[in-house]
Amino acid sequence: MTKIIVDGTEIEVPAGYTLLQAAEEAGAEVPRFCYHDRLSVAGNCRMCLVEVKGGPPKPAASCAMSVRDLRPGPNGEPPEIFTKTPMVKKAREGVMEFLLINHPLDCPICDQGGECDLQDQAMAYGVDSSRFSENKRAVEDKYIGPLVKTIMTRCIHCTRCVRFSTEVAGVTDLGMTGRGEDAEITTYLESAMTSELQGNVIDLCPVGALTSKPYAFKARPWELTKTEGVDVMDAVGSAIRIDTRGREVMRIMPRLNEAVNEEWISDKTRFIWDGLGSQRLDRPYIRESGKLRASSWQEAFDLIAERVKANTPEHVGAIGGDLASVEDLYALKTLMKSIGSPNYDCRQDGTVLDPKDGRASYLFNTSIEGIEDADALLIIGSNPRHEAAVLNARIRKRWRMSEFPIALIGEQNDLTYDYEYLGAGPDSLKSLSDSKSGFGKILREAERPMILIGQGALTRKDSAGILGAIAKLAVDTGVVTEGWNGFSVLHTAAARVGGLDIGFVPEDGGLKTAEMLSAAGKGDLLTLFLAGADEIDLDALGSAFVVYVGTHGDKAAHRADVILPAATYTEKSGTYVNTEGRVQYTPRAAFPPGDAREDWAIYRALSDVLGSPIAFNSLDQLRAQLYSEFSHLAAIDQVALQESGQIEKLTKKTGSIKSDAFVSPVTDFYLTNPIARASKVMAECSQLALGQHVEAAE
């Protein structure tokens, strides 16, 4: 630690701190445009100028000068800097005057208005006039894709977008061409950006040069009600802010959460909002003579009760979807138990993971933040760039920090970082386990190695044997040791860990998802509840009576005999558990349309009609019952510690293993759930990505 005096206040900071960081540590405010905590230092906006005592008679850029560069006073006094002297004030006014030479007067019609760093800092540090009377420079707008709108005349060349794309997103889409007055930020050939994180440049842009294309001219920030929530587009559980006007979600923004998403979110998370109001189910429907007609809740409930009561409990089943909250699944489980059915499952993709094997057997035990502590990584059956784009950025961050050997078994894709390709399927896994050299040796010699297991390895018919083999590899190579558990399962569904936590899996003698589908096709399962479960083989259901509790007119709604309209994740208060086991709470930001209701309330009302009322009448009562049964779910934003010994038990799982290649379950990053498939923006992105993929293949 080094002592330094900032505006008369003496503090101790690490020698590697920049003067800007040291000043902020002392409570001083230093304006900036190009500097960002998570990006490399560019030092090209010069707005962060400070005065250094004993230094040259000119201000210094505080972002590009570190504390160790300062010299002590003549008698050994700590170095001293000033952030409010007349020299600094005059320098900042001069810099602001230069920045505004070519900046257009777009403030009244600019989407960045009210959230613009340039606007704010011009008011705080600028002057009321300019000495430049020449014509302003104009720059042609660029096309960089359907998500980010460009008005490049406003650009001040801070290069935040360029550095983010290169360093965090791992793509070289953006760069600067030309010099001086001809300098421009562009994608060179004016092609669309290819990153799944490109929307973050909107937040990074300190002016209105890069704004949200779908949100353009929709609303002003002061019109919006802001609600802090959690994303459910993947299993990462990114912290988000949901901005609404009235009953409508207008945009989704990231929130800071160092342990999960830092301050980034994926494009699917950010731009999904137009799908929340499109193709919505807003009233109950009943299918008659092959066609759906609108009905009342009572009529729909009576028909369901008639069919359920005509069956024995063993002939009724339920499958939980990927976007359901813990409360939704708990209410459905309680309903199924009240009618005596043992057939319910939250694993609609058929994953082999089971809560009976212990919580550590299905969690990302390293933790997302813990990726930065690992020193070797083996990826099996996963494409983290598409399955969890923000988590993939964390892997890239660790890869850039220092030497970090990475190997992959599965589909060979561009993951934005270098890796050693070991093979496509289980054969490579076996050879790695037997090998004492190569990457097997790297894992054994690493202090904190980790294995990332994707659902591509866990949703096969031979996944029990594969899971046992991976667990044995983890134990043998030191991935699981005292004080470190690198056995990390990457889920693709936001509801999966919460469902496994509350035991939303078949009771003894009950049917799993695949078994329910098979039984329905044979006529042995007569009634099936689908709680937003659209990703199953609906053609396999035969003549079964299907009750769909969902939000959109998606795949399952076209097959359903009764549709009960439910609320999306922004329209209800719910608990989710992310892939690392972190319990997260999201409040209601808007209200569901029409007659749609929250899922738990639907199951509670239906239980009365079925003659088996469940024992809660409000969400608070439901949660009290839930917490008494599963106490760890009450600890919001906490991860309950797990025993690494549970991984050793997995080594006993056996079974025949086929040599088929691992295939990622996410074939289209943009269209993975009903909300995404209802979004016009996501459809455009999907078509664009498909075209880019075809061009790359050619």
Side-chain angles (χ1 to χ4, degrees), residues 598-647:
E598 295 183 36
D599 303 61
W600 73 267
I602 295 173
Y603 302 131
R604 173 63 187 87
L606 180 58
S607 70
D608 283 338
V609 181
L610 293 176
S612 305
I614 49 186
F616 47 78
N617 296 309
S618 68
L619 189 57
D620 288 340
Q621 291 178 3
L622 184 157
R623 285 184 175 142
Q625 189 171 315
L626 175 68
Y627 296 158
S628 66
E629 196 171 342
F630 306 99
S631 58
H632 73 280
L633 294 175
I636 303 299
D637 203 35
Q638 300 295 318
V639 180
L641 296 176
Q642 304 304 315
E643 298 177 9
S644 58
Q646 293 171 346
I647 309 303

Side-chain angles (χ1 to χ4, degrees), residues 16 55 59 74 140 168 216 257-258 307 314 338 341 348 392 400 473 535 563 568 590 631 646 689:
E140 186 178 343
V168 179
N257 188 333
E258 295 288 358
R307 297 301 295 259
E314 291 76 17
S338 71
S341 172
Q348 65 169 330
N392 193 65
R400 292 183 71 244
L473 174 65
E535 318 306 325
I563 295 175
T568 64
S631 58
Q646 293 171 346

